[in-house]
Amino acid sequence: MERGHFDGLFLADTLGVSDVHGGCTDAAIRYATGTPRHDPMLLVPAMAAVTEHLGFGITGNLTYEAPYLFARRLSTLDHLTNGRMGWNIVTGYMQAAAQAMGAGAIKGHDTRYDVAEEFMALMYQLWEGSWEDGSVVLDHANDTFADPTRVHRIHHDGTYWKLDAIHMVEPSPQRTPVLYQAGSSGRGRDFAAGHAECVFLTGKTVPMVAPVIADIKARAVARGRASDDVLCFSLATVVVAETDALAELKLVDFQRYVSVAGALSILSTNSGIDFSTYRPDDELPRIRGDAGVHSIVDAFTVGDPSKIWTVRGIAEASALGGRGPLFVGSPQTVADGLIDWVTQTGSDGLNLSAATCPGCFTDFVDLVVPELQARSRYKTEYQPGTLREKLRGGAGAHLPASHPAEHARRGERASHSAKAAERAFSTE
Ligand SMILES: Cc1cc2nc3c(=O)[nH]c(=O)nc-3n(C[C@H](O)[C@H](O)[C@H](O)COP(=O)(O)O)c2cc1C
């Protein structure tokens, strides 16, 4: 990926073995769908050691993380990677995760976002407000690592957490890691517009993706942020070979390995619909009458309404390409398709999923990247600096002033300088 100048590597994560398909965990275990899942954070240091520029977007589920420990782990990783960390903020959608974590029933959708708002406020305090810029003085002559008057205790007495502590780690290159999010509901889009710097979206067609991107950016502007403060990355899968004919053959080969049962297991987990209760050739409208319309199913039916979708049909369609478009062809064909897609959807970039790993990424780097570079549609070298500086064209390693995290810094600093002024006055 670094050879191909990818901005970052995204590691998804869920907790708990899914038991939606067939009401048990068999399918998830048999087909290895979401199981096993290793801790994304622990995978980063090994990859960071052999790369210099590649960013790492790890998924962290704030519903189950202890804020103080989570902030410390991310700060540690941001130090280890020289500022290449991103955090995909998720609240979790799986009942199995709630049970695994001893939380009983999963919290309601909007409550999860209430929790998320409080968690973020706490993270900003720890990452931005606890240690001032310049607090680490490394003054050998005066036997001083950091100036205690510039390191602040965070007091938080909220609905979901209480905390009274100084952040355990001195400021990392980015302080707050680059914030990724993928909310699609109204509440999710508002959260993205308020907090996210990068948003992941899915959708098989331009009409499904373009309005969502426009809406998220408009919501961000309404909150006083610039539309470019929120970069939108839509999902895409590429199957490429030297010629169109060879790429079609490669696709046919890939299709031989598709597991319809495995795909249904993933779809069941993601949608909450138990697809094992339907026959493969059942039409989807039957399902849509059941436990409510789910956006996962809509991704297919709304995306291509001219088609009669069957259970087997969405399993096959999602097995290669997931909930995003599939681009198949020569480098020229794929480049044409990707440029059209990005232009028409208003995407700032792509979240490239792989039909095979690492084969699809190697193919992309070897064949598509040079073609895009030749058309001046892809960078030829990395920007220096942190992940945030690379993504934002060198605008700065820290969150911009228009981001709500700035309040955590200003507030802390204002009260600190007021105290310092008081002290200076009384000393006089
Ligand atoms: C590309 C993409 C990746 C996602 N990755 C994860 C993930 O790793 N873990 C997770 O729990 N949720 C993940 N989600 C789900 C989102 O966090 C979110 O719950 C979902 O998009 C529904 O949005 P809503 O909560 O606003 O309804 C992902 C969503 C998308 C589109």
Side-chain angles (χ1 to χ4, degrees):
M1 288 180 168
E2 184 157 281
R3 183 163 63 82
H5 300 111
F6 277 46
D7 293 315
L9 165 78
F10 162 53
L11 294 172
D13 195 30
T14 48
L15 294 170
V17 176
S18 174
D19 54 8
V20 178
H21 187 272
C24 69
T25 52
D26 289 0
I29 294 169
R30 182 186 303 274
Y31 305 116
T33 52
T35 313
R37 277 221 195 268
H38 296 254
D39 184 329
M41 284 180 146
L42 296 180
L43 303 176
V44 170
M47 294 190 282
V50 294
T51 52
E52 192 188 340
H53 296 288
L54 188 68
F56 301 102
I58 61 94
T59 298
N61 188 331
L62 56 81
T63 306
Y64 307 115
E65 291 284 356
Y68 192 63
L69 298 176
F70 185 71
R72 180 173 74 154
R73 297 210 312 282
L74 265 167
S75 292
T76 304
L77 285 175
D78 203 48
H79 275 293
L80 284 180
T81 59
N82 273 330
R84 289 190 276 151
M85 287 310 296
W87 169 29
N88 176 35
I89 308 162
V90 304
T91 59
Y93 53 86
M94 284 171 61
Q95 175 57 33
Q99 278 165 235
M101 298 304 293
I106 187 168
K107 287 192 176 73
H109 180 270
D110 286 7
T111 307
R112 298 205 296 274
Y113 278 113
D114 292 340
V115 172
E117 290 289 348
E118 188 180 330
F119 195 95
M120 296 312 294
L122 199 37
M123 289 298 111
Y124 298 147
Q125 290 290 320
L126 290 165
W127 283 325
E128 305 286 342
S130 193
W131 295 62
E132 286 185 28
D133 284 345
S135 53
V136 176
V137 291
L138 298 175
D139 182 349
H140 294 257
N142 289 303
D143 194 18
T144 301
F145 170 73
D147 175 355
T149 66
R150 303 181 74 183
V151 179
H152 309 284
R153 183 173 280 275
I154 304 304
H155 306 281
H156 179 84
D157 189 359
T159 310
Y160 302 100
W161 291 281
K162 293 192 192 329
L163 187 151
D164 186 1
I166 288 169
H167 185 41
M168 277 312 295
V169 177
E170 81 281 18
S172 67
Q174 300 184 110
R175 286 182 173 265
T176 299
V178 174
L179 300 173
Y180 289 76
Q181 204 257 351
S184 63
S185 60
R187 192 71 202 274
R189 290 183 202 184
D190 266 339
F191 184 88
H195 298 275
E197 302 176 86
C198 303
V199 177
F200 290 134
L201 300 109
T202 55
K204 281 198 155 322
T205 62
V206 170
M208 292 184 75
V209 175
V212 181
I213 292 181
D215 181 48
I216 290 173
K217 288 187 180 254
R219 288 176 197 238
V221 170
R223 284 160 179 262
R225 301 177 71 198
S227 70
D228 281 353
D229 282 354
V230 185
L231 302 174
C232 292
F233 297 104
S234 51
L235 188 72
T237 306
V238 168
V239 177
V240 62
E242 281 74 10
T243 64
D244 285 341
L246 285 173
E248 290 295 338
L249 283 178
K250 194 180 271 190
L251 178 68
V252 170
D253 184 44
F254 286 176
Q255 280 163 340
R256 286 173 46 223
Y257 298 97
V258 161
S259 161
V260 169
L264 286 178
S265 160
I266 295 178
L267 282 167
S268 296
T269 305
N270 291 346
S271 67
I273 300 168
D274 179 2
F275 280 99
S276 77
T277 60
Y278 299 91
R279 287 187 303 268
D281 295 314
D282 280 350
E283 284 178 23
L284 276 185
R286 268 192 53 188
I287 297 173
R288 298 189 67 194
D290 268 27
V293 178
H294 298 252
S295 61
I296 307 278
V297 173
D298 280 353
F300 298 91
T301 51
V302 177
D304 190 356
S306 60
K307 191 168 165 169
I308 297 172
W309 284 95
T310 62
V311 169
R312 188 201 308 279
I314 66 162
E316 284 171 353
S318 67
L320 284 172
R323 283 177 274 153
L326 180 64
F327 296 92
V328 183
S330 66
Q332 295 72 30
T333 305
V334 167
D336 287 346
L338 292 179
I339 290 170
D340 267 2
W341 172 264
V342 164
T343 310
Q344 289 181 40
T345 55
S347 299
D348 297 291
L350 298 170
N351 178 15
L352 206 58
S353 87
T356 65
C357 190
C360 274
F361 294 128
T362 314
D363 286 350
F364 192 89
V365 169
D366 287 339
L367 298 171
V368 183
V369 167
E371 179 65 27
L372 291 171
Q373 285 171 330
R375 301 185 193 193
S376 305
R377 297 301 294 250
Y378 196 95
K379 59 181 160 313
T380 51
E381 56 184 21
Y382 278 110
Q383 286 263 350
T386 63
L387 175 59
R388 180 170 289 116
E389 286 166 300
K390 288 174 169 43
L391 288 169
R392 296 179 50 82
H398 298 158
L399 280 167
S402 53
H403 192 279
E406 184 63 12
H407 297 305
R409 305 178 77 179
R410 268 207 300 266
E412 233 359 272
R413 287 199 186 133
S415 71
H416 168 71
S417 7
K419 267 187 247 145
E422 254 172 50
R423 253 200 316 271
F425 186 72
S426 57
T427 310
E428 263 183 359

